[in-house]
Amino acid sequence: MSRRSGWRVELPVAGRPVLVVGGGPEALGRVASLRAEDAAVTVVASELSAALADLAARDLITAHPRDVLDGDVERAWLVIAATGDEAADARVRALADTHRRFCLGGSGRGAAPVPGTGGRRRLGGRVILVGGGPGDPGLITMAGLAALHEADVVVTDRLAPLAVLEGLRPTTEIIDVSKIPGGRTTPQQEINRLLVEHALAGRTVVRLKGGDNFVFGRGGEEWQACARAGVEVQLVPGVTSAVAVPALAGIPVTHRTANQGFTVISAHVAPDDPRSTLDYAALARTGTSLVVLMGVGTLAAVARALLAAGMPADTPAAIIADGGLPSQRTVRAGLAEIAERAEEAGIGAPAVTVIGSVAAFDPAVGSTPGGIDE
């Protein structure tokens, strides 16, 4: 039996071809758990949810937008029937039996115990804003898991730790509201509407985000929308990606002999965009580490702005993609070269960039380049 971060897959799937039939919300948890166990996942479905389409676009899974074929099953070591339709799942199981392949049904919901809930559920409409941490399902809090166990509806997206969806009750509705850079997106107004509508219908709604809802996660906007509608809101903070993703890559955002703080910014709006409100000249002089979120597409512009403000060209920088996931990658370079090196490596969103002496941290070395005196 294979284990990762407290979650388990009942068969040793690492390196083996696994076929998932179904591309809707029912398949999200299964696919995420299989990826966490290093399975070679192929999804076959007439339509993919936004989160699964994003994984396919980044070559993290293989996807075929069509009906399942005999050859798909023949090439698989394990088959998952997760269409969300009982009759369709039964046909997949029958096809797997014909080809003598293992077949697991559905989303796997209810398989993962959730500590601290005792099976108790509270009735009544409300919204719980849950920060899920950075990708790895083991980094969500116990309070976050308990909230998911109570949920009637889970509104989630591609940056959430999707493997935790396997632990939900079979009756829980999952809504994928992913925002894909350059692709499909769900407007924030529509997300707000879904939260309010389901809560006013008497349901317990969990808004599951990656990282923390209040660190560039639109949590404040969603809370305001609920408050205007008279909907009760509860908060479950999450481990923010701004700190956790660098840590997972071996980079402390602070180090006693290197800096005295860190500054987190969003680079969703480029420095040369008139909408930008950031003073990059001031940022270049802070002496703190800079942690840049939502800045893959604007990284070159961010680097140019900092260099123009006087930050040295050899300032250490690192960009970490897919933090907390099996596909996590890190690229390091000086500030003047980091954008070019990231592009050469094919780094895409989501990614976190660290700029400052800590980006060169090496635990085997007694001090950090560009550090301060003890």
Side-chain angles (χ1 to χ4, degrees):
M1 183 177 295
S2 179
R3 291 179 179 270
R4 179 185 175 93
S5 302
W7 293 80
R8 65 185 185 179
V9 173
E10 295 297 331
L11 295 171
V13 297
R16 298 182 185 271
V18 179
L19 172 66
V20 177
V21 183
E26 296 80 7
L28 289 178
R30 280 290 197 194
V31 170
S33 288
L34 289 164
R35 285 192 59 239
E37 295 293 335
D38 297 322
V41 180
T42 297
V43 176
V44 174
S46 57
E47 186 175 350
L48 295 178
S49 71
L52 291 179
D54 174 64
L55 292 176
R58 293 190 284 140
D59 295 324
L60 299 177
I61 63 172
T62 300
H64 300 298
R66 54 169 170 75
D67 292 334
V68 65
L69 304 176
D70 284 62
D72 299 323
V73 177
E74 289 176 353
R75 288 187 289 272
W77 182 80
L78 173 67
V79 178
I80 306 293
T83 67
D85 179 273
E86 190 171 330
D89 282 353
R91 289 193 292 271
V92 174
R93 289 193 293 271
L95 187 61
D97 285 344
T98 299
H99 294 280
R100 302 177 66 82
R101 294 294 185 268
F102 290 111
C103 184
L104 301 178
S107 64
R109 295 193 206 169
V114 180
T117 62
R120 299 183 299 274
R121 295 187 62 248
R122 165 185 162 173
L123 302 177
R126 58 181 169 146
V127 169
I128 310 176
L129 302 177
V130 175
D136 187 332
L139 296 177
I140 191 172
T141 66
M142 292 178 66
L145 284 177
L148 285 165
H149 187 71
E150 297 181 40
D152 299 304
V153 180
V154 175
V155 179
T156 190
D157 56 56
R158 72 187 187 106
L159 299 181
L162 296 176
V164 301
L165 300 179
E166 282 205 287
L168 303 185
R169 294 177 296 117
T171 55
T172 301
E173 180 180 358
I174 300 170
I175 303 175
D176 181 1
V177 294
S178 296
K179 298 179 180 180
I180 311 300
R184 276 190 282 172
T185 188
T186 304
Q188 188 61 46
Q189 185 177 3
E190 173 63 11
I191 296 173
N192 295 347
R193 185 193 67 78
L194 288 167
L195 298 177
V196 170
E197 178 182 278
H198 285 287
L200 290 179
R203 302 183 180 102
T204 293
V205 184
V206 168
R207 174 62 171 120
L208 177 63
K209 296 280 294 183
D212 182 89
N213 302 67
F214 286 179
V215 181
F216 301 119
R218 303 284 185 99
E221 296 176 44
E222 291 167 356
W223 191 358
Q224 288 174 325
C226 292
R228 286 193 296 267
V231 171
E232 177 189 353
V233 173
Q234 296 179 346
L235 310 174
V236 180
V239 178
T240 175
S241 301
V243 174
V245 168
L248 291 169
I251 299 172
V253 292
T254 66
H255 188 65
R256 184 168 60 89
T257 61
N259 62 11
Q260 293 177 284
F262 64 97
T263 303
V264 182
I265 66 170
S266 165
H268 180 68
V269 178
D272 52 0
D273 189 309
R275 297 172 297 165
S276 176
T277 60
L278 290 174
D279 184 341
Y280 280 84
L283 290 172
R285 295 193 303 268
T286 62
T288 68
S289 306
L290 295 182
V291 180
V292 184
L293 306 183
M294 296 181 285
V296 174
T298 59
L299 182 56
V302 168
R304 284 195 301 270
L306 293 172
L307 291 168
M311 186 173 280
D314 61 353
T315 300
I319 183 167
I320 308 105
D322 292 342
L325 298 174
S327 52
Q328 177 177 314
R329 290 189 297 153
T330 303
V331 172
R332 300 181 192 238
L335 176 61
E337 299 178 338
I338 187 63
E340 182 180 356
R341 297 291 174 266
E343 184 175 2
E344 290 173 349
I347 295 295
V352 175
T353 301
V354 181
I355 301 170
S357 57
V358 292
F361 177 78
D362 182 347
V365 177
S367 61
T368 300
I372 60 176
D373 293 334
E374 295 190 50

